[in-house]
Amino acid sequence: AWVGRSAGTFPAEPPVYTRGKFLAIAGGSLAAAVAGVVYFLNRSQPRVQPGKVIKVLVNDFVNKTGNVLLDGALEPMAALYLEGASFISMFDRNAARRTVTQLNMQSVLNAESGRLLAQREGVGVLIAGMIESTGGVLTLTVEALDAATGKQVASYSETAQAFDELPKALNTAIANIRSKLGDVTPVVAQIAAAETFTSRSIEASFHYAKGQE
């Protein structure tokens, strides 16, 4: 009698793939590969937290023009322009001044006091400014600083031919700073929305600032 392998020992026949089954398997492999790529990209890219609010404080601007009417005149305007962004929460300058006075016996709002406020009050960004006059042309420079480290986050300079043109120059500078901080509103639209405040005179702003102290 013929002796051969039992039925259980024969190798299994190779699977037979129909065209539809082959396409289904290929499609599944492709989907898995795409999902893997998407997962890798999501892990490698920084995540932006939607709705995150940044607490911002406007520091005392440095006035190098010699005109005392600029002392404290632009800071309230800067706060108004900044709070037009939905993700920015302005920290009250008077409250900040009281806090730093209690902490280190000074009332100046600068990078040093900003670091104290970052630790104590959660301030994230400081807005610093400088006004200079050269040959009759005023140059306004505005910076955004990381409150915890003092590192510059954004900077923008704008010129003005007269003191009463400084509010418009400030509006332009702040609009560009807002964009660099993440505002998706076009700079032109930001400037147009704040034009109501640019008509305020420097003298009026000076007296308003002094009245708030």
PDB file of all heavy atoms in Angstrom, residues 127-164:
ATOM      1  N   ILE A 127       5.150  95.146  27.308  1.00  0.00           N
ATOM      2  CA  ILE A 127       5.294  96.047  26.169  1.00  0.00           C
ATOM      3  C   ILE A 127       6.144  97.229  26.608  1.00  0.00           C
ATOM      4  O   ILE A 127       5.774  97.970  27.519  1.00  0.00           O
ATOM      5  CB  ILE A 127       3.924  96.547  25.658  1.00  0.00           C
ATOM      6  CG1 ILE A 127       3.048  95.363  25.233  1.00  0.00           C
ATOM      7  CG2 ILE A 127       4.110  97.522  24.506  1.00  0.00           C
ATOM      8  CD1 ILE A 127       3.605  94.560  24.078  1.00  0.00           C
ATOM      9  N   ALA A 128       7.301  97.372  25.988  1.00  0.00           N
ATOM     10  CA  ALA A 128       8.216  98.468  26.303  1.00  0.00           C
ATOM     11  C   ALA A 128       8.267  99.419  25.116  1.00  0.00           C
ATOM     12  O   ALA A 128       8.016  99.024  23.973  1.00  0.00           O
ATOM     13  CB  ALA A 128       9.605  97.926  26.604  1.00  0.00           C
ATOM     14  N   GLY A 129       8.584 100.677  25.397  1.00  0.00           N
ATOM     15  CA  GLY A 129       8.645 101.660  24.319  1.00  0.00           C
ATOM     16  C   GLY A 129       9.703 102.712  24.565  1.00  0.00           C
ATOM     17  O   GLY A 129      10.097 102.969  25.711  1.00  0.00           O
ATOM     18  N   MET A 130      10.170 103.321  23.474  1.00  0.00           N
ATOM     19  CA  MET A 130      11.140 104.415  23.556  1.00  0.00           C
ATOM     20  C   MET A 130      10.805 105.456  22.492  1.00  0.00           C
ATOM     21  O   MET A 130      10.482 105.115  21.351  1.00  0.00           O
ATOM     22  CB  MET A 130      12.566 103.894  23.347  1.00  0.00           C
ATOM     23  CG  MET A 130      13.637 104.986  23.415  1.00  0.00           C
ATOM     24  SD  MET A 130      15.303 104.328  23.094  1.00  0.00           S
ATOM     25  CE  MET A 130      15.517 103.272  24.508  1.00  0.00           C
ATOM     26  N   ILE A 131      10.876 106.731  22.896  1.00  0.00           N
ATOM     27  CA  ILE A 131      10.619 107.835  21.971  1.00  0.00           C
ATOM     28  C   ILE A 131      11.882 108.681  21.882  1.00  0.00           C
ATOM     29  O   ILE A 131      12.394 109.152  22.906  1.00  0.00           O
ATOM     30  CB  ILE A 131       9.451 108.722  22.447  1.00  0.00           C
ATOM     31  CG1 ILE A 131       8.291 107.862  22.948  1.00  0.00           C
ATOM     32  CG2 ILE A 131       8.978 109.650  21.333  1.00  0.00           C
ATOM     33  CD1 ILE A 131       7.494 108.478  24.056  1.00  0.00           C
ATOM     34  N   GLU A 132      12.376 108.860  20.670  1.00  0.00           N
ATOM     35  CA  GLU A 132      13.577 109.653  20.444  1.00  0.00           C
ATOM     36  C   GLU A 132      13.302 110.723  19.394  1.00  0.00           C
ATOM     37  O   GLU A 132      12.417 110.577  18.553  1.00  0.00           O
ATOM     38  CB  GLU A 132      14.721 108.758  19.968  1.00  0.00           C
ATOM     39  CG  GLU A 132      15.095 107.660  20.946  1.00  0.00           C
ATOM     40  CD  GLU A 132      16.113 106.697  20.384  1.00  0.00           C
ATOM     41  OE1 GLU A 132      15.726 105.830  19.583  1.00  0.00           O
ATOM     42  OE2 GLU A 132      17.303 106.830  20.731  1.00  0.00           O
ATOM     43  N   SER A 133      14.082 111.790  19.472  1.00  0.00           N
ATOM     44  CA  SER A 133      13.950 112.884  18.504  1.00  0.00           C
ATOM     45  C   SER A 133      15.314 113.159  17.876  1.00  0.00           C
ATOM     46  O   SER A 133      16.283 113.441  18.580  1.00  0.00           O
ATOM     47  CB  SER A 133      13.423 114.148  19.193  1.00  0.00           C
ATOM     48  OG  SER A 133      13.316 115.215  18.272  1.00  0.00           O
ATOM     49  N   THR A 134      15.349 113.066  16.526  1.00  0.00           N
ATOM     50  CA  THR A 134      16.589 113.326  15.793  1.00  0.00           C
ATOM     51  C   THR A 134      16.289 114.209  14.587  1.00  0.00           C
ATOM     52  O   THR A 134      15.546 113.800  13.690  1.00  0.00           O
ATOM     53  CB  THR A 134      17.236 112.006  15.307  1.00  0.00           C
ATOM     54  OG1 THR A 134      17.406 111.136  16.425  1.00  0.00           O
ATOM     55  CG2 THR A 134      18.579 112.276  14.659  1.00  0.00           C
ATOM     56  N   GLY A 135      16.833 115.419  14.604  1.00  0.00           N
ATOM     57  CA  GLY A 135      16.625 116.318  13.484  1.00  0.00           C
ATOM     58  C   GLY A 135      15.168 116.674  13.247  1.00  0.00           C
ATOM     59  O   GLY A 135      14.741 116.853  12.103  1.00  0.00           O
ATOM     60  N   GLY A 136      14.404 116.757  14.308  1.00  0.00           N
ATOM     61  CA  GLY A 136      12.993 117.112  14.177  1.00  0.00           C
ATOM     62  C   GLY A 136      12.082 115.941  13.859  1.00  0.00           C
ATOM     63  O   GLY A 136      10.860 116.102  13.788  1.00  0.00           O
ATOM     64  N   VAL A 137      12.653 114.760  13.659  1.00  0.00           N
ATOM     65  CA  VAL A 137      11.855 113.556  13.375  1.00  0.00           C
ATOM     66  C   VAL A 137      11.785 112.700  14.637  1.00  0.00           C
ATOM     67  O   VAL A 137      12.802 112.409  15.262  1.00  0.00           O
ATOM     68  CB  VAL A 137      12.463 112.737  12.215  1.00  0.00           C
ATOM     69  CG1 VAL A 137      11.663 111.467  11.988  1.00  0.00           C
ATOM     70  CG2 VAL A 137      12.522 113.576  10.951  1.00  0.00           C
ATOM     71  N   LEU A 138      10.587 112.320  15.003  1.00  0.00           N
ATOM     72  CA  LEU A 138      10.381 111.489  16.181  1.00  0.00           C
ATOM     73  C   LEU A 138      10.377 110.015  15.779  1.00  0.00           C
ATOM     74  O   LEU A 138       9.728 109.630  14.801  1.00  0.00           O
ATOM     75  CB  LEU A 138       9.050 111.842  16.845  1.00  0.00           C
ATOM     76  CG  LEU A 138       8.930 113.276  17.373  1.00  0.00           C
ATOM     77  CD1 LEU A 138       7.480 113.606  17.669  1.00  0.00           C
ATOM     78  CD2 LEU A 138       9.774 113.448  18.624  1.00  0.00           C
ATOM     79  N   THR A 139      11.092 109.215  16.519  1.00  0.00           N
ATOM     80  CA  THR A 139      11.124 107.774  16.272  1.00  0.00           C
ATOM     81  C   THR A 139      10.575 107.048  17.490  1.00  0.00           C
ATOM     82  O   THR A 139      11.066 107.221  18.604  1.00  0.00           O
ATOM     83  CB  THR A 139      12.552 107.276  15.992  1.00  0.00           C
ATOM     84  OG1 THR A 139      13.071 107.958  14.846  1.00  0.00           O
ATOM     85  CG2 THR A 139      12.550 105.779  15.710  1.00  0.00           C
ATOM     86  N   LEU A 140       9.537 106.268  17.259  1.00  0.00           N
ATOM     87  CA  LEU A 140       8.915 105.482  18.325  1.00  0.00           C
ATOM     88  C   LEU A 140       9.237 104.007  18.091  1.00  0.00           C
ATOM     89  O   LEU A 140       8.947 103.459  17.028  1.00  0.00           O
ATOM     90  CB  LEU A 140       7.398 105.688  18.313  1.00  0.00           C
ATOM     91  CG  LEU A 140       6.569 104.777  19.219  1.00  0.00           C
ATOM     92  CD1 LEU A 140       6.879 105.054  20.687  1.00  0.00           C
ATOM     93  CD2 LEU A 140       5.084 104.956  18.935  1.00  0.00           C
ATOM     94  N   THR A 141       9.842 103.380  19.084  1.00  0.00           N
ATOM     95  CA  THR A 141      10.148 101.957  19.011  1.00  0.00           C
ATOM     96  C   THR A 141       9.375 101.228  20.096  1.00  0.00           C
ATOM     97  O   THR A 141       9.409 101.621  21.261  1.00  0.00           O
ATOM     98  CB  THR A 141      11.659 101.697  19.203  1.00  0.00           C
ATOM     99  OG1 THR A 141      12.386 102.398  18.189  1.00  0.00           O
ATOM    100  CG2 THR A 141      11.973 100.211  19.097  1.00  0.00           C
ATOM    101  N   VAL A 142       8.657 100.189  19.699  1.00  0.00           N
ATOM    102  CA  VAL A 142       7.862  99.394  20.640  1.00  0.00           C
ATOM    103  C   VAL A 142       8.361  97.958  20.600  1.00  0.00           C
ATOM    104  O   VAL A 142       8.603  97.403  19.525  1.00  0.00           O
ATOM    105  CB  VAL A 142       6.363  99.449  20.287  1.00  0.00           C
ATOM    106  CG1 VAL A 142       5.555  98.613  21.276  1.00  0.00           C
ATOM    107  CG2 VAL A 142       5.862 100.888  20.297  1.00  0.00           C
ATOM    108  N   GLU A 143       8.524  97.375  21.781  1.00  0.00           N
ATOM    109  CA  GLU A 143       8.995  95.994  21.895  1.00  0.00           C
ATOM    110  C   GLU A 143       8.020  95.174  22.724  1.00  0.00           C
ATOM    111  O   GLU A 143       7.388  95.682  23.650  1.00  0.00           O
ATOM    112  CB  GLU A 143      10.351  95.938  22.584  1.00  0.00           C
ATOM    113  CG  GLU A 143      11.506  96.532  21.835  1.00  0.00           C
ATOM    114  CD  GLU A 143      12.795  96.410  22.633  1.00  0.00           C
ATOM    115  OE1 GLU A 143      12.801  96.858  23.785  1.00  0.00           O
ATOM    116  OE2 GLU A 143      13.762  95.830  22.107  1.00  0.00           O
ATOM    117  N   ALA A 144       7.919  93.899  22.377  1.00  0.00           N
ATOM    118  CA  ALA A 144       7.220  92.930  23.217  1.00  0.00           C
ATOM    119  C   ALA A 144       8.280  92.025  23.825  1.00  0.00           C
ATOM    120  O   ALA A 144       9.129  91.487  23.116  1.00  0.00           O
ATOM    121  CB  ALA A 144       6.228  92.115  22.392  1.00  0.00           C
ATOM    122  N   LEU A 145       8.260  91.896  25.151  1.00  0.00           N
ATOM    123  CA  LEU A 145       9.265  91.114  25.867  1.00  0.00           C
ATOM    124  C   LEU A 145       8.606  89.973  26.629  1.00  0.00           C
ATOM    125  O   LEU A 145       7.497  90.128  27.162  1.00  0.00           O
ATOM    126  CB  LEU A 145      10.032  92.000  26.858  1.00  0.00           C
ATOM    127  CG  LEU A 145      10.653  93.284  26.319  1.00  0.00           C
ATOM    128  CD1 LEU A 145      11.211  94.113  27.478  1.00  0.00           C
ATOM    129  CD2 LEU A 145      11.744  92.975  25.311  1.00  0.00           C
ATOM    130  N   ASP A 146       9.273  88.843  26.675  1.00  0.00           N
ATOM    131  CA  ASP A 146       8.837  87.760  27.538  1.00  0.00           C
ATOM    132  C   ASP A 146       9.039  88.224  28.977  1.00  0.00           C
ATOM    133  O   ASP A 146      10.162  88.516  29.401  1.00  0.00           O
ATOM    134  CB  ASP A 146       9.675  86.511  27.254  1.00  0.00           C
ATOM    135  CG  ASP A 146       9.218  85.302  28.049  1.00  0.00           C
ATOM    136  OD1 ASP A 146       9.073  85.424  29.282  1.00  0.00           O
ATOM    137  OD2 ASP A 146       9.015  84.243  27.442  1.00  0.00           O
ATOM    138  N   ALA A 147       7.953  88.289  29.733  1.00  0.00           N
ATOM    139  CA  ALA A 147       8.038  88.855  31.084  1.00  0.00           C
ATOM    140  C   ALA A 147       8.942  88.049  32.000  1.00  0.00           C
ATOM    141  O   ALA A 147       9.608  88.614  32.872  1.00  0.00           O
ATOM    142  CB  ALA A 147       6.640  88.951  31.692  1.00  0.00           C
ATOM    143  N   ALA A 148       8.990  86.751  31.822  1.00  0.00           N
ATOM    144  CA  ALA A 148       9.781  85.897  32.720  1.00  0.00           C
ATOM    145  C   ALA A 148      11.270  85.994  32.459  1.00  0.00           C
ATOM    146  O   ALA A 148      12.078  85.931  33.383  1.00  0.00           O
ATOM    147  CB  ALA A 148       9.320  84.448  32.596  1.00  0.00           C
ATOM    148  N   THR A 149      11.654  86.161  31.176  1.00  0.00           N
ATOM    149  CA  THR A 149      13.078  86.137  30.818  1.00  0.00           C
ATOM    150  C   THR A 149      13.625  87.486  30.366  1.00  0.00           C
ATOM    151  O   THR A 149      14.837  87.690  30.346  1.00  0.00           O
ATOM    152  CB  THR A 149      13.323  85.121  29.689  1.00  0.00           C
ATOM    153  OG1 THR A 149      12.622  85.564  28.505  1.00  0.00           O
ATOM    154  CG2 THR A 149      12.803  83.749  30.077  1.00  0.00           C
ATOM    155  N   GLY A 150      12.736  88.397  29.962  1.00  0.00           N
ATOM    156  CA  GLY A 150      13.179  89.677  29.417  1.00  0.00           C
ATOM    157  C   GLY A 150      13.584  89.590  27.961  1.00  0.00           C
ATOM    158  O   GLY A 150      13.998  90.583  27.359  1.00  0.00           O
ATOM    159  N   LYS A 151      13.461  88.409  27.369  1.00  0.00           N
ATOM    160  CA  LYS A 151      13.857  88.212  25.974  1.00  0.00           C
ATOM    161  C   LYS A 151      12.859  88.880  25.034  1.00  0.00           C
ATOM    162  O   LYS A 151      11.654  88.825  25.239  1.00  0.00           O
ATOM    163  CB  LYS A 151      13.942  86.715  25.658  1.00  0.00           C
ATOM    164  CG  LYS A 151      14.395  86.402  24.252  1.00  0.00           C
ATOM    165  CD  LYS A 151      14.464  84.896  24.016  1.00  0.00           C
ATOM    166  CE  LYS A 151      14.889  84.579  22.594  1.00  0.00           C
ATOM    167  NZ  LYS A 151      14.944  83.101  22.350  1.00  0.00           N
ATOM    168  N   GLN A 152      13.405  89.521  23.972  1.00  0.00           N
ATOM    169  CA  GLN A 152      12.546  90.206  23.006  1.00  0.00           C
ATOM    170  C   GLN A 152      11.753  89.193  22.183  1.00  0.00           C
ATOM    171  O   GLN A 152      12.296  88.242  21.644  1.00  0.00           O
ATOM    172  CB  GLN A 152      13.388  91.079  22.072  1.00  0.00           C
ATOM    173  CG  GLN A 152      12.563  91.926  21.123  1.00  0.00           C
ATOM    174  CD  GLN A 152      13.408  92.674  20.105  1.00  0.00           C
ATOM    175  OE1 GLN A 152      13.638  92.207  18.997  1.00  0.00           O
ATOM    176  NE2 GLN A 152      13.915  93.856  20.500  1.00  0.00           N
ATOM    177  N   VAL A 153      10.451  89.427  22.092  1.00  0.00           N
ATOM    178  CA  VAL A 153       9.567  88.576  21.303  1.00  0.00           C
ATOM    179  C   VAL A 153       9.265  89.228  19.952  1.00  0.00           C
ATOM    180  O   VAL A 153       9.190  88.561  18.922  1.00  0.00           O
ATOM    181  CB  VAL A 153       8.248  88.311  22.058  1.00  0.00           C
ATOM    182  CG1 VAL A 153       7.287  87.489  21.213  1.00  0.00           C
ATOM    183  CG2 VAL A 153       8.526  87.621  23.390  1.00  0.00           C
ATOM    184  N   ALA A 154       9.095  90.556  19.961  1.00  0.00           N
ATOM    185  CA  ALA A 154       8.794  91.290  18.738  1.00  0.00           C
ATOM    186  C   ALA A 154       9.211  92.742  18.918  1.00  0.00           C
ATOM    187  O   ALA A 154       9.307  93.245  20.046  1.00  0.00           O
ATOM    188  CB  ALA A 154       7.311  91.204  18.400  1.00  0.00           C
ATOM    189  N   SER A 155       9.479  93.429  17.816  1.00  0.00           N
ATOM    190  CA  SER A 155       9.876  94.835  17.860  1.00  0.00           C
ATOM    191  C   SER A 155       9.423  95.530  16.586  1.00  0.00           C
ATOM    192  O   SER A 155       9.387  94.925  15.511  1.00  0.00           O
ATOM    193  CB  SER A 155      11.399  94.953  18.013  1.00  0.00           C
ATOM    194  OG  SER A 155      11.800  96.312  18.034  1.00  0.00           O
ATOM    195  N   TYR A 156       9.044  96.821  16.724  1.00  0.00           N
ATOM    196  CA  TYR A 156       8.628  97.592  15.548  1.00  0.00           C
ATOM    197  C   TYR A 156       8.898  99.075  15.802  1.00  0.00           C
ATOM    198  O   TYR A 156       8.656  99.582  16.902  1.00  0.00           O
ATOM    199  CB  TYR A 156       7.132  97.396  15.262  1.00  0.00           C
ATOM    200  CG  TYR A 156       6.716  97.904  13.902  1.00  0.00           C
ATOM    201  CD1 TYR A 156       6.808  97.100  12.772  1.00  0.00           C
ATOM    202  CD2 TYR A 156       6.236  99.204  13.741  1.00  0.00           C
ATOM    203  CE1 TYR A 156       6.442  97.555  11.519  1.00  0.00           C
ATOM    204  CE2 TYR A 156       5.870  99.669  12.493  1.00  0.00           C
ATOM    205  CZ  TYR A 156       5.974  98.842  11.388  1.00  0.00           C
ATOM    206  OH  TYR A 156       5.611  99.309  10.144  1.00  0.00           O
ATOM    207  N   SER A 157       9.415  99.765  14.790  1.00  0.00           N
ATOM    208  CA  SER A 157       9.704 101.200  14.889  1.00  0.00           C
ATOM    209  C   SER A 157       8.887 101.970  13.852  1.00  0.00           C
ATOM    210  O   SER A 157       8.683 101.488  12.732  1.00  0.00           O
ATOM    211  CB  SER A 157      11.196 101.474  14.678  1.00  0.00           C
ATOM    212  OG  SER A 157      11.966 100.927  15.727  1.00  0.00           O
ATOM    213  N   GLU A 158       8.445 103.152  14.244  1.00  0.00           N
ATOM    214  CA  GLU A 158       7.665 104.021  13.356  1.00  0.00           C
ATOM    215  C   GLU A 158       8.078 105.469  13.617  1.00  0.00           C
ATOM    216  O   GLU A 158       8.430 105.823  14.743  1.00  0.00           O
ATOM    217  CB  GLU A 158       6.169 103.838  13.623  1.00  0.00           C
ATOM    218  CG  GLU A 158       5.248 104.543  12.669  1.00  0.00           C
ATOM    219  CD  GLU A 158       5.204 103.918  11.277  1.00  0.00           C
ATOM    220  OE1 GLU A 158       5.820 102.855  11.080  1.00  0.00           O
ATOM    221  OE2 GLU A 158       4.566 104.510  10.390  1.00  0.00           O
ATOM    222  N   THR A 159       8.049 106.300  12.583  1.00  0.00           N
ATOM    223  CA  THR A 159       8.440 107.704  12.734  1.00  0.00           C
ATOM    224  C   THR A 159       7.229 108.626  12.660  1.00  0.00           C
ATOM    225  O   THR A 159       6.167 108.258  12.132  1.00  0.00           O
ATOM    226  CB  THR A 159       9.452 108.115  11.646  1.00  0.00           C
ATOM    227  OG1 THR A 159       8.860 107.921  10.357  1.00  0.00           O
ATOM    228  CG2 THR A 159      10.726 107.296  11.760  1.00  0.00           C
ATOM    229  N   ALA A 160       7.410 109.822  13.206  1.00  0.00           N
ATOM    230  CA  ALA A 160       6.378 110.859  13.168  1.00  0.00           C
ATOM    231  C   ALA A 160       7.060 112.207  12.987  1.00  0.00           C
ATOM    232  O   ALA A 160       8.161 112.428  13.486  1.00  0.00           O
ATOM    233  CB  ALA A 160       5.551 110.846  14.447  1.00  0.00           C
ATOM    234  N   GLN A 161       6.402 113.087  12.279  1.00  0.00           N
ATOM    235  CA  GLN A 161       6.968 114.419  12.016  1.00  0.00           C
ATOM    236  C   GLN A 161       6.606 115.433  13.094  1.00  0.00           C
ATOM    237  O   GLN A 161       7.227 116.494  13.175  1.00  0.00           O
ATOM    238  CB  GLN A 161       6.478 114.932  10.653  1.00  0.00           C
ATOM    239  CG  GLN A 161       6.869 114.040   9.476  1.00  0.00           C
ATOM    240  CD  GLN A 161       8.366 113.908   9.326  1.00  0.00           C
ATOM    241  OE1 GLN A 161       9.111 114.880   9.449  1.00  0.00           O
ATOM    242  NE2 GLN A 161       8.837 112.696   9.045  1.00  0.00           N
ATOM    243  N   ALA A 162       5.611 115.115  13.923  1.00  0.00           N
ATOM    244  CA  ALA A 162       5.178 116.028  14.982  1.00  0.00           C
ATOM    245  C   ALA A 162       4.657 115.204  16.160  1.00  0.00           C
ATOM    246  O   ALA A 162       4.312 114.022  16.004  1.00  0.00           O
ATOM    247  CB  ALA A 162       4.093 116.977  14.465  1.00  0.00           C
ATOM    248  N   PHE A 163       4.592 115.829  17.322  1.00  0.00           N
ATOM    249  CA  PHE A 163       4.166 115.120  18.525  1.00  0.00           C
ATOM    250  C   PHE A 163       2.748 114.569  18.389  1.00  0.00           C
ATOM    251  O   PHE A 163       2.462 113.461  18.844  1.00  0.00           O
ATOM    252  CB  PHE A 163       4.263 116.046  19.745  1.00  0.00           C
ATOM    253  CG  PHE A 163       5.674 116.274  20.202  1.00  0.00           C
ATOM    254  CD1 PHE A 163       6.321 117.470  19.938  1.00  0.00           C
ATOM    255  CD2 PHE A 163       6.365 115.279  20.884  1.00  0.00           C
ATOM    256  CE1 PHE A 163       7.627 117.664  20.354  1.00  0.00           C
ATOM    257  CE2 PHE A 163       7.674 115.471  21.305  1.00  0.00           C
ATOM    258  CZ  PHE A 163       8.306 116.678  21.033  1.00  0.00           C
ATOM    259  N   ASP A 164       1.844 115.351  17.773  1.00  0.00           N
ATOM    260  CA  ASP A 164       0.462 114.889  17.651  1.00  0.00           C
ATOM    261  C   ASP A 164       0.288 113.793  16.608  1.00  0.00           C
ATOM    262  O   ASP A 164      -0.814 113.272  16.439  1.00  0.00           O
ATOM    263  CB  ASP A 164      -0.473 116.070  17.341  1.00  0.00           C
ATOM    264  CG  ASP A 164      -0.834 116.859  18.587  1.00  0.00           C
ATOM    265  OD1 ASP A 164      -0.649 116.316  19.697  1.00  0.00           O
ATOM    266  OD2 ASP A 164      -1.295 118.008  18.464  1.00  0.00           O
TER     267      ASP A 164
END
